[in-house]
Amino acid sequence: MFVIRFLPFLLLLTFSIIVERPITQISWCGASIIYTREDETIPQFQGLEEEKTIFFITEAHLIYQSNGTVWNQIEGLFEDIQVSPADSRVIYLFGQQGQKSYRTNDCGENFEEINIDGFYGFRLNKMSWKWMLAFKKQQCDHFDMDCREPYNNQLFYSEDGAKTWLPSFKNCREASWDKVIEDIAVPDERSIVLFSYENQTQLIYSDDFTNYHTLMVGAQGYYQTQKYLFVLTSSNNGGYELHYGHSKLEEFQEKLVELPLQILKEFSYTVLDTENGRIYLSVSHYQQEQSITNVYISNQLGKDFQIVLTNNVRSTSDGNCDFEKLLGLTQTYVANTYDQRDQKAKSTVISFNGGKKWESIKAPKFDSEGNIVECGGECSLHFVGRTESYRQTIYTVDQAPGIVLGVGNVGLFITQEQNTYMSADGGQNWIEVRKGSHVFEIADFGGIIVMAKDFEPTNEIIYSIDYGKTWKTKIIYDDLFIAQNLVTEASGTVRQFLIYGKTDKGEGIILRLDFSDIFQRDCKSNLDYDIWNSKCIDGSQTKYYRKKENSECFNPKQMITKKIIEPCPCKREDWICASGYASQLEGGDCLPIVNISDYCEPGTTYFKSQGYIKLTQCVGGLDLDSIETYCPKNFNFNEILLYLTIIALLVFLIFFAYAIIRRMLASGDKSKDPNVNIYNQMEFQEDDDEEDQQL
């Protein structure tokens, strides 16, 4: 059954398609950005159509193709749809066993049959749509120790878009294209292969699918990013070890990841992120409890790992962790952790400085109905993580910095009573948008945000065109259905959305929502834009240009998210204790713990440490830097003796001069006045006179 209905609802142009079974996958042909299954984001630059062609596959393994309002079913039964990361106009439709498979190079205008009989695990090359890797099962000899599970696969490659295949290495466990092949010095056909040879596992790379260079012997698995190549090996203590080196394979020199808790074994590793050279690792130290991990972060050189978060939540089925980077922002992460007292209770924390400091998420003051949120003490906002949900419940896009959507609750821990929340400032402040769980999507660089209920029947959406300040409700269908997801083209620049789900009869339904007519113009003037300031992180602040809330215009589709990075005033958190100093409390004063000796040249000035080193690029504010201090002159023994002699001589001369001056003064007084200090003589003279008179 295949039914199309057109449903004009006010400003939104809506049309729907009913198919026999629910939809499992949607792909855009001609998309301007490709998100690969290897976690890469690849922009597209050539021949991008304004009207994107959509392919989707249902639970019944049927594929439908649309271009505008015309939908066609592709003949056959299919397992998968893949868009070429080298050219988003090239789509591969992989059929089930015994069914035909196709490739289109023009978004479905023409199809060419391809040969994939017996092949699986297709890897598309991001430099050329013609190159592809795939596997075939090997028929193994019972005594061949190299051909055993999971190494009983042979690698093949195609140079003509899966029309013909050529054999490569046998006894393979895994293979992939080199992730740095866009480097002009790296061949486009370079592959990385993990295989077994002479009863030894080897990680190799090859530029011609025949000759190879060995990267590491004993490898059990690998993972490559743009910066690093990680290799997993078995350890002597019964756990595992993680090695890493430069992602450019000619420069690969393996180093062992050395964690600070050396007494613990490592039983699983998940590489969470490698932003700015820092390695974020989730490590399980308990064989029986691999759902509980610690998060470690290295410095920008990939060294000196430090534990920054304990009891992080991890899935034992696929290794995913409740640890999300907020896209479009720098060094902002959200994570879920188990409670120390109750390993079943989980809570959510956020870090604004790359994981070095974690804090609870501030709950909104009011709920979506205007009631005061009663949240005191340890109460905060929590979000369901990817380990519990079939979709990502903390949602951000690169093209809309600061816009964060999530499903969770306010309380002490994560509960089953979930509502939908939004932040417009990168997670610093939150609002409750609606009660209950919703699917959501962001378009027009954050200028359009759309939501729909997902666990109960609905026929309406809510949307905001002012960053969540106000919300409008629109009916989009005349019957109720269960919404499973809400998506848009990966660039986030278009104004159309697809919402898909299932009806009460178990049929699949997909509706296209077109917001192209809600505004009549594109934003052009600086008067349409404002500056949003992110939180100060590591001493700097990023300022983003963002459309004003009241500007009734679309962001231009060719718009590039503009940002300015400026230093922030220094705070205590921008300073760490210098060598020889320590703080008893986090953020407390740095006090000397050893005898600090400051050597300087006598008679000069030097910079005396206050006990701190600036950790960031902040400017002004709190100044705990070294202070310029005068260095007193040092004296040796001979100099001291000389100075003492000179001082003694000066003292002697002073006393000698004083005595001479006093004597001179005394003799001068005698000649001047005979009545001074000669009283006895005067008396004797008077007596003599009297005696003479009597005689």
Side-chain angles (χ1 to χ4, degrees), residues 2-9 13-19 56 69 71 476-479 481 498-499 503 508-513:
F2 180 63
V3 180
I4 299 178
R5 300 170 66 182
F6 292 90
L7 304 164
F9 286 103
L13 177 61
T14 307
F15 68 87
S16 66
I17 306 122
I18 302 293
V19 291
F56 69 81
T69 59
W71 290 81
I476 58 172
Y477 196 60
D478 48 10
D479 294 322
F481 66 97
L498 295 177
I499 181 170
T503 67
I509 181 173
I510 181 170
L511 297 99
R512 180 172 178 174
L513 313 177

PDB file of all heavy atoms in Angstrom, residues 2-9 13-19 56 69 71 476-479 481 498-499 503 508-513:
ATOM      1  N   PHE A   2       0.494   2.194  -0.826  1.00  0.00           N
ATOM      2  CA  PHE A   2       1.298   3.412  -0.966  1.00  0.00           C
ATOM      3  C   PHE A   2       0.348   4.569  -1.229  1.00  0.00           C
ATOM      4  O   PHE A   2      -0.299   4.635  -2.272  1.00  0.00           O
ATOM      5  CB  PHE A   2       2.293   3.221  -2.111  1.00  0.00           C
ATOM      6  CG  PHE A   2       3.173   4.403  -2.350  1.00  0.00           C
ATOM      7  CD1 PHE A   2       4.063   4.837  -1.385  1.00  0.00           C
ATOM      8  CD2 PHE A   2       3.125   5.088  -3.562  1.00  0.00           C
ATOM      9  CE1 PHE A   2       4.887   5.924  -1.618  1.00  0.00           C
ATOM     10  CE2 PHE A   2       3.948   6.175  -3.798  1.00  0.00           C
ATOM     11  CZ  PHE A   2       4.822   6.585  -2.824  1.00  0.00           C
ATOM     12  N   VAL A   3       0.212   5.475  -0.255  1.00  0.00           N
ATOM     13  CA  VAL A   3      -0.769   6.556  -0.341  1.00  0.00           C
ATOM     14  C   VAL A   3      -0.083   7.884  -0.086  1.00  0.00           C
ATOM     15  O   VAL A   3       0.709   8.014   0.852  1.00  0.00           O
ATOM     16  CB  VAL A   3      -1.916   6.362   0.680  1.00  0.00           C
ATOM     17  CG1 VAL A   3      -2.924   7.503   0.557  1.00  0.00           C
ATOM     18  CG2 VAL A   3      -2.594   5.024   0.464  1.00  0.00           C
ATOM     19  N   ILE A   4      -0.366   8.894  -0.916  1.00  0.00           N
ATOM     20  CA  ILE A   4       0.154  10.245  -0.728  1.00  0.00           C
ATOM     21  C   ILE A   4      -1.018  11.172  -0.468  1.00  0.00           C
ATOM     22  O   ILE A   4      -2.029  11.140  -1.170  1.00  0.00           O
ATOM     23  CB  ILE A   4       0.937  10.723  -1.969  1.00  0.00           C
ATOM     24  CG1 ILE A   4       2.139   9.815  -2.227  1.00  0.00           C
ATOM     25  CG2 ILE A   4       1.399  12.164  -1.786  1.00  0.00           C
ATOM     26  CD1 ILE A   4       2.920  10.194  -3.460  1.00  0.00           C
ATOM     27  N   ARG A   5      -0.873  12.019   0.558  1.00  0.00           N
ATOM     28  CA  ARG A   5      -1.922  12.984   0.876  1.00  0.00           C
ATOM     29  C   ARG A   5      -1.287  14.353   1.074  1.00  0.00           C
ATOM     30  O   ARG A   5      -0.259  14.479   1.738  1.00  0.00           O
ATOM     31  CB  ARG A   5      -2.668  12.575   2.148  1.00  0.00           C
ATOM     32  CG  ARG A   5      -3.334  11.219   2.042  1.00  0.00           C
ATOM     33  CD  ARG A   5      -3.855  10.743   3.375  1.00  0.00           C
ATOM     34  NE  ARG A   5      -4.947  11.569   3.867  1.00  0.00           N
ATOM     35  CZ  ARG A   5      -5.547  11.370   5.032  1.00  0.00           C
ATOM     36  NH1 ARG A   5      -5.162  10.385   5.830  1.00  0.00           N
ATOM     37  NH2 ARG A   5      -6.535  12.156   5.406  1.00  0.00           N
ATOM     38  N   PHE A   6      -1.927  15.395   0.523  1.00  0.00           N
ATOM     39  CA  PHE A   6      -1.462  16.768   0.693  1.00  0.00           C
ATOM     40  C   PHE A   6      -2.312  17.442   1.755  1.00  0.00           C
ATOM     41  O   PHE A   6      -3.543  17.414   1.693  1.00  0.00           O
ATOM     42  CB  PHE A   6      -1.558  17.539  -0.625  1.00  0.00           C
ATOM     43  CG  PHE A   6      -0.602  17.040  -1.657  1.00  0.00           C
ATOM     44  CD1 PHE A   6      -0.977  16.028  -2.532  1.00  0.00           C
ATOM     45  CD2 PHE A   6       0.672  17.556  -1.741  1.00  0.00           C
ATOM     46  CE1 PHE A   6      -0.087  15.557  -3.484  1.00  0.00           C
ATOM     47  CE2 PHE A   6       1.565  17.099  -2.690  1.00  0.00           C
ATOM     48  CZ  PHE A   6       1.184  16.092  -3.566  1.00  0.00           C
ATOM     49  N   LEU A   7      -1.632  18.059   2.734  1.00  0.00           N
ATOM     50  CA  LEU A   7      -2.328  18.626   3.883  1.00  0.00           C
ATOM     51  C   LEU A   7      -1.835  20.042   4.136  1.00  0.00           C
ATOM     52  O   LEU A   7      -0.893  20.251   4.907  1.00  0.00           O
ATOM     53  CB  LEU A   7      -2.093  17.760   5.126  1.00  0.00           C
ATOM     54  CG  LEU A   7      -2.477  16.280   4.982  1.00  0.00           C
ATOM     55  CD1 LEU A   7      -1.850  15.485   6.101  1.00  0.00           C
ATOM     56  CD2 LEU A   7      -3.982  16.131   5.007  1.00  0.00           C
ATOM     57  N   PRO A   8      -2.431  21.071   3.507  1.00  0.00           N
ATOM     58  CA  PRO A   8      -2.008  22.452   3.783  1.00  0.00           C
ATOM     59  C   PRO A   8      -2.563  22.922   5.117  1.00  0.00           C
ATOM     60  O   PRO A   8      -3.772  22.948   5.316  1.00  0.00           O
ATOM     61  CB  PRO A   8      -2.607  23.238   2.616  1.00  0.00           C
ATOM     62  CG  PRO A   8      -3.792  22.432   2.184  1.00  0.00           C
ATOM     63  CD  PRO A   8      -3.467  20.999   2.461  1.00  0.00           C
ATOM     64  N   PHE A   9      -1.673  23.250   6.067  1.00  0.00           N
ATOM     65  CA  PHE A   9      -2.095  23.728   7.377  1.00  0.00           C
ATOM     66  C   PHE A   9      -1.472  25.093   7.617  1.00  0.00           C
ATOM     67  O   PHE A   9      -0.288  25.195   7.956  1.00  0.00           O
ATOM     68  CB  PHE A   9      -1.684  22.755   8.486  1.00  0.00           C
ATOM     69  CG  PHE A   9      -2.527  21.509   8.526  1.00  0.00           C
ATOM     70  CD1 PHE A   9      -2.043  20.316   8.018  1.00  0.00           C
ATOM     71  CD2 PHE A   9      -3.798  21.538   9.056  1.00  0.00           C
ATOM     72  CE1 PHE A   9      -2.812  19.169   8.062  1.00  0.00           C
ATOM     73  CE2 PHE A   9      -4.577  20.387   9.106  1.00  0.00           C
ATOM     74  CZ  PHE A   9      -4.086  19.202   8.606  1.00  0.00           C
ATOM     75  N   LEU A  13       3.313  23.875   4.657  1.00  0.00           N
ATOM     76  CA  LEU A  13       2.866  22.990   3.596  1.00  0.00           C
ATOM     77  C   LEU A  13       3.269  21.574   3.978  1.00  0.00           C
ATOM     78  O   LEU A  13       4.449  21.277   4.155  1.00  0.00           O
ATOM     79  CB  LEU A  13       3.504  23.386   2.268  1.00  0.00           C
ATOM     80  CG  LEU A  13       3.155  22.481   1.073  1.00  0.00           C
ATOM     81  CD1 LEU A  13       1.653  22.504   0.817  1.00  0.00           C
ATOM     82  CD2 LEU A  13       3.921  22.913  -0.163  1.00  0.00           C
ATOM     83  N   THR A  14       2.278  20.694   4.124  1.00  0.00           N
ATOM     84  CA  THR A  14       2.523  19.344   4.610  1.00  0.00           C
ATOM     85  C   THR A  14       1.966  18.335   3.623  1.00  0.00           C
ATOM     86  O   THR A  14       0.879  18.525   3.087  1.00  0.00           O
ATOM     87  CB  THR A  14       1.841  19.131   5.972  1.00  0.00           C
ATOM     88  OG1 THR A  14       2.235  20.167   6.856  1.00  0.00           O
ATOM     89  CG2 THR A  14       2.215  17.792   6.574  1.00  0.00           C
ATOM     90  N   PHE A  15       2.737  17.295   3.352  1.00  0.00           N
ATOM     91  CA  PHE A  15       2.149  16.151   2.664  1.00  0.00           C
ATOM     92  C   PHE A  15       2.692  14.874   3.291  1.00  0.00           C
ATOM     93  O   PHE A  15       3.778  14.849   3.875  1.00  0.00           O
ATOM     94  CB  PHE A  15       2.386  16.187   1.150  1.00  0.00           C
ATOM     95  CG  PHE A  15       3.812  15.993   0.738  1.00  0.00           C
ATOM     96  CD1 PHE A  15       4.332  14.729   0.553  1.00  0.00           C
ATOM     97  CD2 PHE A  15       4.627  17.087   0.503  1.00  0.00           C
ATOM     98  CE1 PHE A  15       5.638  14.556   0.159  1.00  0.00           C
ATOM     99  CE2 PHE A  15       5.934  16.920   0.100  1.00  0.00           C
ATOM    100  CZ  PHE A  15       6.451  15.647  -0.067  1.00  0.00           C
ATOM    101  N   SER A  16       1.905  13.807   3.198  1.00  0.00           N
ATOM    102  CA  SER A  16       2.227  12.570   3.908  1.00  0.00           C
ATOM    103  C   SER A  16       2.229  11.392   2.948  1.00  0.00           C
ATOM    104  O   SER A  16       1.580  11.413   1.907  1.00  0.00           O
ATOM    105  CB  SER A  16       1.215  12.324   5.024  1.00  0.00           C
ATOM    106  OG  SER A  16      -0.072  12.080   4.476  1.00  0.00           O
ATOM    107  N   ILE A  17       2.963  10.358   3.349  1.00  0.00           N
ATOM    108  CA  ILE A  17       3.001   9.099   2.617  1.00  0.00           C
ATOM    109  C   ILE A  17       2.731   7.980   3.600  1.00  0.00           C
ATOM    110  O   ILE A  17       3.328   7.939   4.687  1.00  0.00           O
ATOM    111  CB  ILE A  17       4.360   8.870   1.939  1.00  0.00           C
ATOM    112  CG1 ILE A  17       4.702  10.069   1.070  1.00  0.00           C
ATOM    113  CG2 ILE A  17       4.381   7.596   1.136  1.00  0.00           C
ATOM    114  CD1 ILE A  17       5.987  10.703   1.448  1.00  0.00           C
ATOM    115  N   ILE A  18       1.841   7.078   3.241  1.00  0.00           N
ATOM    116  CA  ILE A  18       1.558   5.888   4.043  1.00  0.00           C
ATOM    117  C   ILE A  18       2.161   4.700   3.307  1.00  0.00           C
ATOM    118  O   ILE A  18       1.881   4.470   2.119  1.00  0.00           O
ATOM    119  CB  ILE A  18       0.047   5.676   4.238  1.00  0.00           C
ATOM    120  CG1 ILE A  18      -0.580   6.898   4.912  1.00  0.00           C
ATOM    121  CG2 ILE A  18      -0.204   4.418   5.064  1.00  0.00           C
ATOM    122  CD1 ILE A  18      -0.132   7.124   6.321  1.00  0.00           C
ATOM    123  N   VAL A  19       2.995   3.916   3.997  1.00  0.00           N
ATOM    124  CA  VAL A  19       3.591   2.714   3.421  1.00  0.00           C
ATOM    125  C   VAL A  19       3.256   1.520   4.306  1.00  0.00           C
ATOM    126  O   VAL A  19       2.753   1.667   5.422  1.00  0.00           O
ATOM    127  CB  VAL A  19       5.122   2.864   3.270  1.00  0.00           C
ATOM    128  CG1 VAL A  19       5.451   3.887   2.201  1.00  0.00           C
ATOM    129  CG2 VAL A  19       5.767   3.247   4.579  1.00  0.00           C
ATOM    130  N   PHE A  56      14.255   6.294   1.424  1.00  0.00           N
ATOM    131  CA  PHE A  56      14.043   5.675   2.730  1.00  0.00           C
ATOM    132  C   PHE A  56      13.735   4.192   2.552  1.00  0.00           C
ATOM    133  O   PHE A  56      13.237   3.763   1.503  1.00  0.00           O
ATOM    134  CB  PHE A  56      12.953   6.386   3.540  1.00  0.00           C
ATOM    135  CG  PHE A  56      11.550   6.247   3.028  1.00  0.00           C
ATOM    136  CD1 PHE A  56      10.794   5.112   3.292  1.00  0.00           C
ATOM    137  CD2 PHE A  56      10.968   7.276   2.306  1.00  0.00           C
ATOM    138  CE1 PHE A  56       9.492   4.993   2.838  1.00  0.00           C
ATOM    139  CE2 PHE A  56       9.670   7.174   1.844  1.00  0.00           C
ATOM    140  CZ  PHE A  56       8.923   6.021   2.106  1.00  0.00           C
ATOM    141  N   THR A  69       7.449  16.250  -4.698  1.00  0.00           N
ATOM    142  CA  THR A  69       6.222  15.567  -4.267  1.00  0.00           C
ATOM    143  C   THR A  69       6.006  14.239  -4.988  1.00  0.00           C
ATOM    144  O   THR A  69       4.985  13.589  -4.802  1.00  0.00           O
ATOM    145  CB  THR A  69       5.011  16.478  -4.528  1.00  0.00           C
ATOM    146  OG1 THR A  69       4.942  16.786  -5.919  1.00  0.00           O
ATOM    147  CG2 THR A  69       5.135  17.761  -3.712  1.00  0.00           C
ATOM    148  N   TRP A  71       6.908  10.350  -5.541  1.00  0.00           N
ATOM    149  CA  TRP A  71       7.540   9.234  -4.835  1.00  0.00           C
ATOM    150  C   TRP A  71       7.449   7.980  -5.700  1.00  0.00           C
ATOM    151  O   TRP A  71       6.411   7.688  -6.287  1.00  0.00           O
ATOM    152  CB  TRP A  71       6.853   8.981  -3.493  1.00  0.00           C
ATOM    153  CG  TRP A  71       7.125  10.065  -2.495  1.00  0.00           C
ATOM    154  CD1 TRP A  71       6.517  11.272  -2.394  1.00  0.00           C
ATOM    155  CD2 TRP A  71       8.102  10.016  -1.462  1.00  0.00           C
ATOM    156  NE1 TRP A  71       7.048  12.004  -1.362  1.00  0.00           N
ATOM    157  CE2 TRP A  71       8.029  11.243  -0.755  1.00  0.00           C
ATOM    158  CE3 TRP A  71       9.035   9.073  -1.024  1.00  0.00           C
ATOM    159  CZ2 TRP A  71       8.834  11.558   0.323  1.00  0.00           C
ATOM    160  CZ3 TRP A  71       9.844   9.366   0.049  1.00  0.00           C
ATOM    161  CH2 TRP A  71       9.740  10.594   0.710  1.00  0.00           C
ATOM    162  N   ILE A 476      -0.635  18.763  11.911  1.00  0.00           N
ATOM    163  CA  ILE A 476       0.012  18.393  10.654  1.00  0.00           C
ATOM    164  C   ILE A 476      -0.642  17.195   9.981  1.00  0.00           C
ATOM    165  O   ILE A 476      -0.280  16.840   8.854  1.00  0.00           O
ATOM    166  CB  ILE A 476       1.505  18.096  10.873  1.00  0.00           C
ATOM    167  CG1 ILE A 476       1.695  16.965  11.891  1.00  0.00           C
ATOM    168  CG2 ILE A 476       2.250  19.351  11.306  1.00  0.00           C
ATOM    169  CD1 ILE A 476       3.130  16.489  12.027  1.00  0.00           C
ATOM    170  N   TYR A 477      -1.610  16.556  10.662  1.00  0.00           N
ATOM    171  CA  TYR A 477      -2.256  15.366  10.081  1.00  0.00           C
ATOM    172  C   TYR A 477      -3.634  15.234  10.691  1.00  0.00           C
ATOM    173  O   TYR A 477      -3.870  15.703  11.823  1.00  0.00           O
ATOM    174  CB  TYR A 477      -1.395  14.122  10.361  1.00  0.00           C
ATOM    175  CG  TYR A 477      -1.739  12.923   9.524  1.00  0.00           C
ATOM    176  CD1 TYR A 477      -1.651  12.973   8.136  1.00  0.00           C
ATOM    177  CD2 TYR A 477      -2.160  11.733  10.115  1.00  0.00           C
ATOM    178  CE1 TYR A 477      -1.954  11.867   7.365  1.00  0.00           C
ATOM    179  CE2 TYR A 477      -2.462  10.623   9.345  1.00  0.00           C
ATOM    180  CZ  TYR A 477      -2.373  10.698   7.968  1.00  0.00           C
ATOM    181  OH  TYR A 477      -2.678   9.599   7.192  1.00  0.00           O
ATOM    182  N   ASP A 478      -4.547  14.573   9.981  1.00  0.00           N
ATOM    183  CA  ASP A 478      -5.911  14.484  10.486  1.00  0.00           C
ATOM    184  C   ASP A 478      -6.161  13.232  11.319  1.00  0.00           C
ATOM    185  O   ASP A 478      -7.246  13.077  11.887  1.00  0.00           O
ATOM    186  CB  ASP A 478      -6.924  14.569   9.341  1.00  0.00           C
ATOM    187  CG  ASP A 478      -6.569  13.657   8.187  1.00  0.00           C
ATOM    188  OD1 ASP A 478      -5.657  12.830   8.362  1.00  0.00           O
ATOM    189  OD2 ASP A 478      -7.191  13.770   7.118  1.00  0.00           O
ATOM    190  N   ASP A 479      -5.191  12.332  11.404  1.00  0.00           N
ATOM    191  CA  ASP A 479      -5.284  11.152  12.267  1.00  0.00           C
ATOM    192  C   ASP A 479      -4.092  11.126  13.217  1.00  0.00           C
ATOM    193  O   ASP A 479      -3.039  11.719  12.936  1.00  0.00           O
ATOM    194  CB  ASP A 479      -5.308   9.861  11.443  1.00  0.00           C
ATOM    195  CG  ASP A 479      -6.571   9.743  10.600  1.00  0.00           C
ATOM    196  OD1 ASP A 479      -7.642  10.143  11.095  1.00  0.00           O
ATOM    197  OD2 ASP A 479      -6.474   9.268   9.444  1.00  0.00           O
ATOM    198  N   PHE A 481      -0.904   9.425  15.148  1.00  0.00           N
ATOM    199  CA  PHE A 481       0.152   8.455  14.858  1.00  0.00           C
ATOM    200  C   PHE A 481       1.237   8.579  15.921  1.00  0.00           C
ATOM    201  O   PHE A 481       1.276   9.556  16.679  1.00  0.00           O
ATOM    202  CB  PHE A 481       0.733   8.677  13.453  1.00  0.00           C
ATOM    203  CG  PHE A 481       1.458   9.981  13.289  1.00  0.00           C
ATOM    204  CD1 PHE A 481       2.840  10.045  13.412  1.00  0.00           C
ATOM    205  CD2 PHE A 481       0.765  11.159  13.014  1.00  0.00           C
ATOM    206  CE1 PHE A 481       3.515  11.251  13.268  1.00  0.00           C
ATOM    207  CE2 PHE A 481       1.428  12.368  12.864  1.00  0.00           C
ATOM    208  CZ  PHE A 481       2.805  12.417  12.995  1.00  0.00           C
ATOM    209  N   LEU A 498      11.377  16.162   7.944  1.00  0.00           N
ATOM    210  CA  LEU A 498      10.641  14.917   7.774  1.00  0.00           C
ATOM    211  C   LEU A 498      10.346  14.355   9.154  1.00  0.00           C
ATOM    212  O   LEU A 498      11.251  14.222   9.985  1.00  0.00           O
ATOM    213  CB  LEU A 498      11.445  13.905   6.967  1.00  0.00           C
ATOM    214  CG  LEU A 498      11.749  14.245   5.503  1.00  0.00           C
ATOM    215  CD1 LEU A 498      12.622  13.163   4.888  1.00  0.00           C
ATOM    216  CD2 LEU A 498      10.473  14.420   4.706  1.00  0.00           C
ATOM    217  N   ILE A 499       9.093  14.032   9.402  1.00  0.00           N
ATOM    218  CA  ILE A 499       8.718  13.358  10.633  1.00  0.00           C
ATOM    219  C   ILE A 499       8.130  12.006  10.233  1.00  0.00           C
ATOM    220  O   ILE A 499       7.277  11.934   9.330  1.00  0.00           O
ATOM    221  CB  ILE A 499       7.714  14.196  11.462  1.00  0.00           C
ATOM    222  CG1 ILE A 499       7.358  13.467  12.752  1.00  0.00           C
ATOM    223  CG2 ILE A 499       6.485  14.574  10.676  1.00  0.00           C
ATOM    224  CD1 ILE A 499       6.558  14.333  13.722  1.00  0.00           C
ATOM    225  N   THR A 503       1.284   4.265  12.210  1.00  0.00           N
ATOM    226  CA  THR A 503      -0.123   4.480  12.502  1.00  0.00           C
ATOM    227  C   THR A 503      -0.615   3.419  13.484  1.00  0.00           C
ATOM    228  O   THR A 503       0.115   2.475  13.838  1.00  0.00           O
ATOM    229  CB  THR A 503      -0.951   4.413  11.212  1.00  0.00           C
ATOM    230  OG1 THR A 503      -0.921   3.057  10.709  1.00  0.00           O
ATOM    231  CG2 THR A 503      -0.377   5.352  10.152  1.00  0.00           C
ATOM    232  N   GLY A 508       3.584   2.365   8.130  1.00  0.00           N
ATOM    233  CA  GLY A 508       4.558   3.435   8.225  1.00  0.00           C
ATOM    234  C   GLY A 508       3.987   4.729   7.693  1.00  0.00           C
ATOM    235  O   GLY A 508       3.196   4.728   6.739  1.00  0.00           O
ATOM    236  N   ILE A 509       4.365   5.830   8.304  1.00  0.00           N
ATOM    237  CA  ILE A 509       3.922   7.136   7.835  1.00  0.00           C
ATOM    238  C   ILE A 509       5.104   8.087   7.854  1.00  0.00           C
ATOM    239  O   ILE A 509       5.925   8.068   8.779  1.00  0.00           O
ATOM    240  CB  ILE A 509       2.756   7.685   8.690  1.00  0.00           C
ATOM    241  CG1 ILE A 509       2.309   9.050   8.159  1.00  0.00           C
ATOM    242  CG2 ILE A 509       3.144   7.767  10.165  1.00  0.00           C
ATOM    243  CD1 ILE A 509       1.055   9.594   8.830  1.00  0.00           C
ATOM    244  N   ILE A 510       5.214   8.890   6.815  1.00  0.00           N
ATOM    245  CA  ILE A 510       6.239   9.927   6.760  1.00  0.00           C
ATOM    246  C   ILE A 510       5.581  11.202   6.270  1.00  0.00           C
ATOM    247  O   ILE A 510       4.799  11.189   5.312  1.00  0.00           O
ATOM    248  CB  ILE A 510       7.421   9.515   5.847  1.00  0.00           C
ATOM    249  CG1 ILE A 510       8.483  10.619   5.826  1.00  0.00           C
ATOM    250  CG2 ILE A 510       6.963   9.165   4.451  1.00  0.00           C
ATOM    251  CD1 ILE A 510       9.782  10.179   5.146  1.00  0.00           C
ATOM    252  N   LEU A 511       5.833  12.289   6.965  1.00  0.00           N
ATOM    253  CA  LEU A 511       5.263  13.588   6.613  1.00  0.00           C
ATOM    254  C   LEU A 511       6.392  14.576   6.363  1.00  0.00           C
ATOM    255  O   LEU A 511       7.378  14.612   7.115  1.00  0.00           O
ATOM    256  CB  LEU A 511       4.359  14.126   7.725  1.00  0.00           C
ATOM    257  CG  LEU A 511       3.123  13.303   8.061  1.00  0.00           C
ATOM    258  CD1 LEU A 511       3.387  12.444   9.280  1.00  0.00           C
ATOM    259  CD2 LEU A 511       1.920  14.204   8.290  1.00  0.00           C
ATOM    260  N   ARG A 512       6.216  15.372   5.330  1.00  0.00           N
ATOM    261  CA  ARG A 512       7.195  16.403   5.014  1.00  0.00           C
ATOM    262  C   ARG A 512       6.621  17.753   5.421  1.00  0.00           C
ATOM    263  O   ARG A 512       5.509  18.116   5.028  1.00  0.00           O
ATOM    264  CB  ARG A 512       7.514  16.397   3.526  1.00  0.00           C
ATOM    265  CG  ARG A 512       8.538  17.445   3.123  1.00  0.00           C
ATOM    266  CD  ARG A 512       8.964  17.268   1.692  1.00  0.00           C
ATOM    267  NE  ARG A 512       9.910  18.286   1.292  1.00  0.00           N
ATOM    268  CZ  ARG A 512      10.536  18.289   0.124  1.00  0.00           C
ATOM    269  NH1 ARG A 512      10.305  17.325  -0.740  1.00  0.00           N
ATOM    270  NH2 ARG A 512      11.374  19.240  -0.171  1.00  0.00           N
ATOM    271  N   LEU A 513       7.391  18.499   6.217  1.00  0.00           N
ATOM    272  CA  LEU A 513       6.977  19.813   6.715  1.00  0.00           C
ATOM    273  C   LEU A 513       7.851  20.872   6.058  1.00  0.00           C
ATOM    274  O   LEU A 513       9.079  20.807   6.128  1.00  0.00           O
ATOM    275  CB  LEU A 513       7.134  19.885   8.238  1.00  0.00           C
ATOM    276  CG  LEU A 513       6.580  18.698   9.044  1.00  0.00           C
ATOM    277  CD1 LEU A 513       6.891  18.888  10.520  1.00  0.00           C
ATOM    278  CD2 LEU A 513       5.084  18.561   8.827  1.00  0.00           C
TER     279      LEU A 513
END
